[in-house]
């Protein structure tokens, strides 16, 4: 009957509207989830680049002081070890987030064109961490409270200082160019907005690449 036909049409129309509404709701929900996910990544990555900056400043300060004194105490070695460990972990986190960020089609940013290709050079900081650990072990085995920076060790420690200087100078230059006269919150917002953490990770990797062939080793440790 005509009434049944109208009822069937109404039911079909309601079903289509329901499907469209569910689809619209799911799309909106996915957009919200992606935005929150993107924000979580960005906040974490900003925290990581700041961790690297601060720990590297500490490394540079310790190495500068110790090279002048030609001596590193066990306490300073432990600080160096902890700082390098924190830098290595933060760099690994940044690289993992970068790859996830790059490969996620739902995350939009104009900074995806910054390409980081060599994934093997992130091992430099792990090598340095091992060298510092070897220094500590050597001092403990010899029951000494400090390590003299003799001619054999001076080159290696000087390379570490040079590497820290390059990274510190880059941070200063980048922040002056892109975030000058901004307070900490505004700087964080700008770095997150433009995904500048990718640029910084790229330069960290570039600096690492300069030292990838340097043989940080334990042979010179007496």
């Amino acid at each position: 009957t005509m009434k049944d036909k109208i009822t069937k049409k109404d039911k079909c129309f309601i079903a289509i509207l329901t499907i469209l509404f569910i689809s619209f709701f799911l799309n909106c929900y996915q957009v919200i989830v992606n935005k929150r996910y993107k924000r979580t990544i960005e906040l974490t990555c900003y925290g990581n680049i700041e961790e690297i900056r601060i720990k590297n400043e500490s490394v540079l300060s310790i190495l500068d002081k110790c090279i002048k004194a030609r001596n590193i105490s066990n306490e300073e070695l432990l600080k160096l070890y902890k700082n390098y460990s924190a830098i290595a972990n933060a760099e690994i986190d940044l690289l993992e987030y970068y790859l996830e960020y790059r490969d996620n089609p739902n995350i939009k940013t104009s900074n995806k064109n910054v390409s980081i290709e060599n994934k093997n050079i992130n091992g430099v900081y792990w090598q340095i961490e091992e060298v510092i650990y070897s220094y500590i072990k050597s001092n403990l085995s010899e029951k000494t409270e400090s390590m003299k920076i003799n001619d054999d060790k001076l080159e290696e420690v000087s390379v570490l200082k040079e590497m820290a200087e390059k990274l510190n100078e880059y941070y200063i230059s980048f922040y002056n160019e892109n975030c000058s006269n901004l307070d900490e919150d505004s700087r964080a917002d700008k770095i997150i907005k433009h995904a500048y953490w990718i640029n910084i990770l790229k330069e960290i990797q570039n600096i690492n690449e300069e030292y990838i062939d340097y043989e940080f080793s334990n042979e010179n440790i007496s």
Side-chain angles (χ1 to χ4, degrees):
T1 64
M2 181 64 70
K3 187 177 181 181
D4 290 336
K5 287 181 180 179
I6 293 172
T7 302
K8 287 177 182 177
K9 284 182 179 179
D10 288 344
K11 286 180 179 179
C12 184
F13 181 70
I14 290 169
I16 291 170
L17 280 179
T18 302
I19 291 169
L20 288 173
F21 176 77
I22 292 172
S23 177
F24 175 75
F25 174 78
L26 289 175
N27 285 336
C28 289
Y29 176 75
Q30 190 62 47
V31 168
I32 293 169
V33 168
N34 286 336
K35 282 187 176 179
R36 286 182 178 175
Y37 177 65
K38 181 173 181 280
R39 183 67 177 176
T40 299
I41 288 180
E42 290 168 337
L43 285 170
T44 303
C45 290
Y46 176 73
N48 280 327
I49 65 165
E50 280 294 283
E51 174 86 346
I52 292 172
R53 180 182 68 82
I54 293 165
K55 297 302 184 185
N56 185 69
E57 284 179 355
S58 177
V59 163
L60 182 55
S61 175
I62 293 169
L63 291 176
D64 185 53
K65 174 187 170 185
C66 292
I67 287 173
K68 287 175 181 174
R70 290 294 188 101
N71 190 73
I72 307 180
S73 69
N74 288 346
E75 183 182 354
E76 287 165 332
L77 282 172
L78 185 58
K79 285 180 182 176
L80 283 174
Y81 179 80
K82 288 180 178 178
N83 285 333
Y84 277 119
S85 179
I87 291 171
N89 285 321
E91 187 191 13
I92 289 291
D93 284 347
L94 281 172
L95 188 58
E96 288 177 352
Y97 278 122
Y98 164 74
L99 295 174
E100 195 168 346
Y101 203 79
R102 181 194 67 188
D103 297 334
N104 190 331
N106 296 313
I107 297 179
K108 307 297 183 184
T109 175
S110 60
N111 211 13
K112 274 194 175 181
N113 60 349
V114 177
S115 175
I116 299 170
E117 298 171 2
N118 192 339
K119 299 166 195 161
N120 298 319
I121 54 180
N122 62 324
V124 172
Y125 280 113
W126 293 121
Q127 291 176 343
I128 295 171
E129 187 183 343
E130 285 299 310
V131 169
I132 303 299
Y133 181 64
S134 296
Y135 287 158
I136 294 171
K137 280 203 307 181
S138 176
N139 282 3
L140 289 175
S141 67
E142 294 177 10
K143 297 181 180 178
T144 59
E145 295 182 359
S146 64
M147 180 190 83
K148 292 190 181 300
I149 303 178
N150 55 30
D151 291 341
D152 288 338
K153 297 185 180 77
L154 182 60
E155 181 191 344
E156 192 159 67
V157 176
S158 296
V159 166
L160 296 181
K161 182 191 170 189
E162 178 186 278
M163 189 176 174
E165 280 177 335
K166 286 182 180 179
L167 184 55
N168 188 57
E169 287 167 4
Y170 170 73
Y171 265 102
I172 292 170
S173 173
F174 188 86
Y175 278 13
N176 284 342
E177 183 179 344
N178 298 284
C179 312
S180 61
N181 301 321
L182 295 179
D183 60 30
E184 189 172 347
D185 289 340
S186 299
R187 183 177 70 192
D189 288 340
K190 186 169 184 181
I191 287 174
I192 287 171
K193 180 181 178 182
H194 297 285
Y196 281 150
W197 62 270
I198 299 178
N199 298 75
I200 295 169
L201 174 59
K202 172 80 170 178
E203 185 58 25
I204 291 170
Q205 298 276 279
N206 287 342
I207 292 171
N208 285 2
E209 192 170 15
E210 294 179 40
Y211 298 92
I212 190 65
D213 294 325
Y214 184 83
E215 293 187 8
F216 294 105
S217 64
N218 304 335
E219 280 83 29
N220 294 333
I221 301 172
S222 56

